[in-house]
Amino acid sequence: MLAQREHSAVELRRKLLRIARDRDQDPSMDVDGDPVDLVDEVEAVLVWLKSSGYLEETRFVESRIHVRSLRFGQRRIEQELAQHGLSMNADQRSALASGELERACELLRRKFGSGPATDPSDVAKRMRFLIGRGFDSDLARKALRQVAADA
């Protein structure tokens, strides 16, 4: 699994427990419904992976930012990282925020073309698109204005 892409510890734990549950039908379960000995084994594997440098959360954060920044805004990326129990550091957050307007404009051009919005429903549609992608509403308005000015 780690050879394909970076994983967070939370994500890898969930996957390994699912695989282990499918293979083992031991009746002794913990509070989550997972076999007790399998939970201990998975935790030991995770500790070994971390100590050996195979599972590094900073690498996962950098990888997730790199992949997601092409399609999503800062809020969406932070939300995804929070689901994994992680967060960006201040440098990563500022670097992502510095190019956010350009990314939003590029997304608008790719999705709707380079022309300006023609009516209020079109403006609302473009705003919903950007907000749904994790961009702030003020930044979405700026991006709409900039795309219209560039046309």
Side-chain angles (χ1 to χ4, degrees), residues 1 6 9-10 51 73 85 111 113 151:
M1 285 185 270
E6 295 292 335
V10 171
S51 66
K111 175 78 174 174

Side-chain angles (χ1 to χ4, degrees), residues 8-9 44 60 80 83 85 87 89 114 125 137:
S8 69
F60 173 78
E80 283 186 22
Q83 290 174 347
S87 63
N89 63 31
S114 59
K125 182 184 207 180
S137 59

